[in-house]
Amino acid sequence: MAIRTLRRYEDRDRMNHWLIALLFVLAGLSGLAFFHPSLYFFSALFGGGVWTRILHPFFGVAMVLAFAVMFFRLWRDNVFTPSDRDWVAHSGDMLRGNKAAMPPVGKYNAGQKGVFWLMSLCLVVLLVTGVMFWQPWFASSFPILLRRIAVVLHAASAVVLILGVIMHVYAAIWVKGTVRAMTRGTVTEGWARQNHPLWHREMTGKQ
């Protein structure tokens, strides 16, 4: 008997997602090269320190632009609703593997929505602060104190973003059947019914 599937992401959304992932790795590794001297060896991946410093901000801007495309396509599905409070209240059951105790959710649960908005905020901070000390184009337009504050906020936002991505990847692997949503664009009806029953009902008309 064939397994029935539901379309979760269009091809263009998946391609954009993997473009963001690639740019995140490039921006992340090039940025880590300057985060601490012990990580400077990452600069060898980009042709040395000079090229790493040149390329890093362009990787970052490209990632923000790609994410902006995804943001404007998905933000409505990630707006918090009153029912999300109930999901958060039962999040401990989720961590204990007791999915039966979780309230029904739509396309995204409160945890996924939180990661979405966290990433959005981090990227805005990274873009704004990065521009403030981007040599030689914009840095001279800002006072040195403001640039120093921008460097600290930039680094802090990068750390939070990396932790958010780790959480995102872990959750995708942890919930069996999730990864195929971004590799094939579809999920099984069983996966949808178990993890996102309200979305399953919306897509199929079944209770």
Side-chain angles (χ1 to χ4, degrees):
M1 182 176 180
I3 298 176
R4 297 188 62 180
T5 60
L6 299 175
R7 171 66 59 180
R8 188 152 173 89
Y9 294 108
E10 300 295 333
D11 291 345
R12 57 182 174 177
D13 295 320
R14 292 189 296 116
M15 291 175 66
N16 187 54
H17 172 273
W18 292 115
L19 175 62
I20 295 169
L22 173 62
L23 291 168
F24 169 79
V25 171
L26 295 175
L29 292 179
S30 58
L32 286 172
F34 300 110
F35 186 79
H36 191 273
S38 64
L39 301 174
Y40 186 72
F41 68 91
F42 282 128
S43 64
L45 298 173
F46 305 96
V50 173
W51 271 109
T52 303
R53 187 174 295 278
I54 291 172
L55 292 172
H56 174 71
F58 288 101
F59 291 147
V61 170
M63 178 173 63
V64 170
L65 291 176
F67 188 89
V69 173
M70 183 174 73
F71 177 89
F72 286 113
R73 285 185 60 79
L74 301 180
W75 74 269
R76 290 181 181 83
D77 292 325
N78 283 279
V79 173
F80 285 101
T81 63
S83 61
D84 288 321
R85 296 196 194 104
D86 197 22
W87 189 94
V88 173
H90 289 82
S91 57
D93 293 311
M94 169 68 77
L95 295 175
R96 288 188 290 271
N98 183 18
K99 292 185 179 180
M102 299 304 295
V105 296
K107 188 170 185 178
Y108 300 113
N109 60 46
Q112 292 170 311
K113 292 178 180 179
V115 171
F116 175 84
W117 290 110
L118 177 69
M119 290 181 177
S120 301
L121 177 61
C122 286
L123 286 172
V124 169
V125 174
L126 285 168
L127 178 64
V128 173
T129 57
V131 167
M132 292 172 68
F133 61 91
W134 188 351
Q135 297 280 8
W137 310 109
F138 308 107
S140 59
S141 301
F142 300 94
I144 186 66
L145 178 60
L146 203 55
R147 277 184 274 166
R148 288 172 177 169
I149 295 173
V151 169
V152 173
L153 291 177
H154 194 83
S157 297
V159 170
V160 173
L161 178 62
I162 290 171
L163 293 176
V165 170
I166 291 173
M167 186 189 311
H168 173 67
V169 173
Y170 177 79
I173 296 173
W174 181 44
V175 181
K176 185 178 179 181
T178 301
V179 174
R180 69 171 287 155
M182 274 301 172
T183 56
R184 304 183 191 181
T186 60
V187 293
T188 65
E189 270 206 46
W191 180 94
R193 190 183 303 110
Q194 181 179 23
N195 297 289
H196 299 270
L198 298 183
W199 178 71
H200 172 265
R201 189 180 308 166
E202 177 187 342
M203 295 295 291
T204 64
K206 299 177 182 177
Q207 296 295 323

